[in-house]
Protein backbone atom coordinates (compact mmCIF):
# COMPACT_ATOMS: atom_id res chain seq x y z
CA UNK A 1 0.00 0.00 0.00
CA UNK A 2 1.87 3.04 -1.17
CA UNK A 3 1.67 6.17 -3.25
CA UNK A 4 -1.05 8.54 -4.32
CA UNK A 5 -3.61 7.71 -6.98
CA UNK A 6 -5.98 10.10 -8.71
CA UNK A 7 -9.46 8.64 -9.26
CA UNK A 8 -10.98 10.94 -11.89
CA UNK A 9 -14.49 11.05 -13.24
CA UNK A 10 -17.70 12.97 -13.74
CA UNK A 11 -19.32 11.48 -10.61
CA UNK A 12 -22.73 12.90 -11.60
CA UNK A 13 -23.56 11.51 -9.06
CA UNK A 14 -21.21 9.07 -7.29
CA UNK A 15 -22.72 5.54 -7.29
CA UNK A 16 -22.09 2.38 -5.32
CA UNK A 17 -20.05 1.21 -8.32
CA UNK A 18 -17.69 4.12 -7.62
CA UNK A 19 -17.55 3.56 -3.86
CA UNK A 20 -16.61 -0.13 -4.30
CA UNK A 21 -13.76 0.89 -6.64
CA UNK A 22 -12.69 3.45 -4.05
CA UNK A 23 -12.75 0.82 -1.32
CA UNK A 24 -10.64 -1.57 -3.41
CA UNK A 25 -8.31 1.28 -4.35
CA UNK A 26 -7.61 1.94 -0.68
CA UNK A 27 -6.17 -1.59 -0.43
CA UNK A 28 -3.57 -0.66 -3.01
CA UNK A 29 -2.86 3.04 -2.44
CA UNK A 30 -2.02 5.08 0.61
CA UNK A 31 -4.07 8.04 -0.57
CA UNK A 32 -6.69 8.52 -3.26
CA UNK A 33 -7.62 11.90 -4.66
CA UNK A 34 -11.13 11.70 -6.08
CA UNK A 35 -11.04 14.32 -8.82
CA UNK A 36 -14.28 15.63 -10.31
CA UNK A 37 -13.99 16.85 -13.88
CA UNK A 38 -15.05 20.46 -14.08
CA UNK A 39 -16.24 20.53 -17.65
CA UNK A 40 -18.70 23.14 -18.87
CA UNK A 41 -19.22 21.24 -22.14
CA UNK A 42 -20.91 18.29 -20.49
CA UNK A 43 -24.48 18.76 -19.30
CA UNK A 44 -24.53 17.70 -15.64
CA UNK A 45 -27.39 17.13 -13.22
CA UNK A 46 -25.38 18.21 -10.17
CA UNK A 47 -22.98 21.13 -9.84
CA UNK A 48 -19.33 20.32 -9.22
CA UNK A 49 -19.73 21.55 -5.61
CA UNK A 50 -22.73 19.25 -5.06
CA UNK A 51 -20.87 16.30 -6.56
CA UNK A 52 -17.85 16.93 -4.33
CA UNK A 53 -20.06 17.18 -1.26
CA UNK A 54 -21.80 13.87 -2.09
CA UNK A 55 -18.41 12.17 -2.57
CA UNK A 56 -17.22 13.46 0.83
CA UNK A 57 -20.43 12.31 2.51
CA UNK A 58 -20.26 8.91 0.79
CA UNK A 59 -16.62 8.40 1.81
CA UNK A 60 -17.59 9.20 5.42
CA UNK A 61 -20.56 6.83 5.15
CA UNK A 62 -18.16 4.10 3.95
CA UNK A 63 -16.17 4.61 7.13
CA UNK A 64 -13.05 5.48 5.15
CA UNK A 65 -10.16 7.15 6.94
CA UNK A 66 -10.68 10.81 5.97
CA UNK A 67 -6.91 11.30 5.83
CA UNK A 68 -6.68 8.80 2.96
CA UNK A 69 -9.36 10.26 0.68
CA UNK A 70 -9.26 13.77 -0.68
CA UNK A 71 -11.98 15.21 -2.88
CA UNK A 72 -11.01 17.83 -5.44
CA UNK A 73 -12.01 19.09 -8.87
CA UNK A 74 -9.89 19.65 -11.94
CA UNK A 75 -10.05 21.07 -15.42
CA UNK A 76 -7.66 20.77 -18.33
CA UNK A 77 -5.62 17.64 -18.95
CA UNK A 78 -5.86 14.86 -16.39
CA UNK A 79 -2.16 13.96 -16.64
CA UNK A 80 -1.25 17.60 -15.91
CA UNK A 81 -3.46 17.54 -12.84
CA UNK A 82 -1.95 14.20 -11.69
CA UNK A 83 1.55 15.60 -12.06
CA UNK A 84 0.69 18.76 -10.11
CA UNK A 85 -0.67 16.54 -7.34
CA UNK A 86 2.44 14.29 -7.34
CA UNK A 87 0.33 11.27 -8.28
CA UNK A 88 1.96 8.63 -10.48
CA UNK A 89 -1.23 6.61 -10.88
CA UNK A 90 -4.62 7.23 -12.45
CA UNK A 91 -7.20 4.85 -11.03
CA UNK A 92 -10.19 3.76 -13.14
CA UNK A 93 -12.89 1.18 -12.67
CA UNK A 94 -13.74 -1.30 -15.42
CA UNK A 95 -17.21 -2.72 -15.79
CA UNK A 96 -18.44 -4.59 -18.83
CA UNK A 97 -16.49 -5.10 -22.05
CA UNK A 98 -18.18 -1.97 -23.36
CA UNK A 99 -15.93 0.16 -21.13
CA UNK A 100 -12.79 -1.42 -22.45
CA UNK A 101 -12.18 0.36 -25.74
CA UNK A 102 -12.82 3.82 -24.34
CA UNK A 103 -10.61 3.12 -21.34
CA UNK A 104 -7.83 1.63 -23.47
CA UNK A 105 -7.92 4.70 -25.70
CA UNK A 106 -7.80 7.10 -22.75
CA UNK A 107 -5.04 5.15 -20.97
CA UNK A 108 -2.90 5.12 -24.11
CA UNK A 109 -3.51 8.79 -24.82
CA UNK A 110 -2.59 9.65 -21.24
CA UNK A 111 0.54 7.49 -21.49
CA UNK A 112 1.47 9.30 -24.70
CA UNK A 113 0.99 12.66 -22.98
CA UNK A 114 2.94 11.65 -19.90
CA UNK A 115 4.65 8.24 -19.80
CA UNK A 116 5.41 8.70 -16.10
CA UNK A 117 1.76 8.43 -15.11
CA UNK A 118 0.35 4.88 -15.15
CA UNK A 119 -3.34 4.01 -15.43
CA UNK A 120 -4.40 1.21 -13.09
CA UNK A 121 -7.77 -0.53 -13.48
CA UNK A 122 -9.86 -2.18 -10.84
CA UNK A 123 -12.62 -4.53 -11.93
CA UNK A 124 -16.05 -3.44 -10.79
CA UNK A 125 -17.77 -5.54 -8.16
CA UNK A 126 -20.13 -7.92 -9.99
CA UNK A 127 -23.03 -6.67 -7.87
CA UNK A 128 -22.63 -3.24 -9.47
CA UNK A 129 -21.16 -3.90 -12.89
CA UNK A 130 -24.34 -2.61 -14.54
CA UNK A 131 -24.47 0.57 -12.47
CA UNK A 132 -23.64 3.78 -14.31
CA UNK A 133 -24.48 7.34 -13.27
CA UNK A 134 -26.44 7.92 -16.48
CA UNK A 135 -28.64 4.86 -15.98
CA UNK A 136 -29.17 5.67 -12.30
CA UNK A 137 -30.33 9.19 -13.25
CA UNK A 138 -32.69 7.88 -15.91
CA UNK A 139 -34.22 5.27 -13.60
CA UNK A 140 -34.61 7.84 -10.78
CA UNK A 141 -36.20 10.34 -13.17
CA UNK A 142 -38.71 7.71 -14.26
CA UNK A 143 -39.58 6.82 -10.67
CA UNK A 144 -37.67 3.52 -10.42
CA UNK A 145 -36.02 2.36 -7.23
CA UNK A 146 -32.32 3.24 -7.12
CA UNK A 147 -31.88 3.00 -3.35
CA UNK A 148 -29.49 0.02 -3.62
CA UNK A 149 -27.40 1.61 -6.33
CA UNK A 150 -26.24 4.87 -4.76
CA UNK A 151 -24.60 5.63 -1.41
CA UNK A 152 -27.08 6.56 1.33
CA UNK A 153 -26.25 10.32 1.31
CA UNK A 154 -26.86 10.54 -2.46
CA UNK A 155 -30.41 9.14 -2.55
CA UNK A 156 -32.35 12.11 -1.09
CA UNK A 157 -30.44 14.56 -3.26
CA UNK A 158 -31.13 12.51 -6.37
CA UNK A 159 -34.84 12.17 -5.60
CA UNK A 160 -35.08 15.90 -4.85
CA UNK A 161 -33.74 16.71 -8.33
CA UNK A 162 -36.68 14.85 -9.84
CA UNK A 163 -39.31 15.95 -7.30
CA UNK A 164 -39.73 12.34 -6.14
O1 LIG B 1 -16.58 9.51 -15.39
P1 LIG B 1 -16.10 9.76 -16.79
O2 LIG B 1 -16.97 10.80 -17.44
O3 LIG B 1 -15.98 8.50 -17.59
O4 LIG B 1 -14.60 10.38 -16.65
C1 LIG B 1 -13.90 10.79 -17.80
C2 LIG B 1 -12.60 11.55 -17.42
C3 LIG B 1 -12.86 12.68 -16.47
C4 LIG B 1 -11.63 10.56 -16.78
C5 LIG B 1 -11.98 12.08 -18.76
O5 LIG B 1 -12.97 12.75 -19.49
C6 LIG B 1 -10.80 13.02 -18.56
O6 LIG B 1 -9.75 12.61 -18.09
N1 LIG B 1 -10.97 14.32 -18.90
C7 LIG B 1 -9.94 15.32 -18.73
C8 LIG B 1 -9.39 15.83 -20.08
C9 LIG B 1 -8.26 14.97 -20.55
O7 LIG B 1 -7.25 14.80 -19.91
N2 LIG B 1 -8.41 14.42 -21.77
C10 LIG B 1 -7.43 13.58 -22.40
C11 LIG B 1 -7.48 12.16 -21.86
S1 LIG B 1 -7.88 11.03 -23.10
Amino acid sequence: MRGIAVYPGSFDPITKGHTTILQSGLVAFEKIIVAVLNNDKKEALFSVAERMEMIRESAADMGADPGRIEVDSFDGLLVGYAQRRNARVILRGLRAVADFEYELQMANMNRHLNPEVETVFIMANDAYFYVASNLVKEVARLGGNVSDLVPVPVLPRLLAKFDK
Side-chain angles (χ1 to χ4, degrees), residues 7-153:
Y7 181 30
S10 305
F11 301 105
D12 185 40
I14 186 168
T15 66
K16 280 203 183 165
H18 294 123
T19 52
T20 55
I21 299 293
L22 200 48
Q23 234 146 5
S24 302
L26 286 171
V27 174
F29 301 102
E30 178 55 36
K31 180 175 171 179
I32 298 180
I33 302 172
V34 186
V36 179
L37 177 66
N38 193 349
N39 181 356
D40 293 333
K41 274 191 299 184
K42 219 168 166 181
E43 186 76 23
L45 179 63
F46 293 97
S47 70
V48 171
E50 285 175 315
R51 286 181 260 164
M52 290 172 68
E53 214 168 277
M54 286 186 283
I55 296 168
R56 281 197 196 96
E57 291 169 2
S58 303
D61 188 60
M62 257 163 63
D65 176 349
R68 295 182 60 204
I69 296 183
E70 180 185 329
V71 183
D72 194 11
S73 64
F74 77 103
D75 47 30
L77 284 179
L78 175 59
V79 286
Y81 173 76
Q83 193 157 37
R84 288 196 297 284
R85 298 305 316 269
N86 292 317
R88 296 283 304 273
V89 171
I90 292 168
L91 175 64
R92 293 284 288 173
L94 264 189
R95 289 168 303 200
V97 184
D99 284 346
F100 182 79
E101 255 181 79
Y102 170 60
E103 294 296 336
L104 178 69
Q105 207 175 11
M106 274 207 304
N108 278 319
M109 176 59 82
N110 285 331
R111 178 178 284 149
H112 167 78
L113 294 170
N114 188 341
E116 292 189 352
V117 178
E118 274 304 327
T119 303
V120 169
F121 294 99
I122 289 181
M123 305 305 284
N125 182 320
D126 60 359
Y128 300 115
F129 82 94
Y130 59 94
V131 178
S133 299
N134 285 341
L135 283 185
V136 166
K137 284 185 282 193
E138 182 173 324
V139 172
R141 182 170 58 81
L142 298 173
N145 182 2
V146 293
S147 59
D148 289 343
L149 310 182
V150 293
V152 171

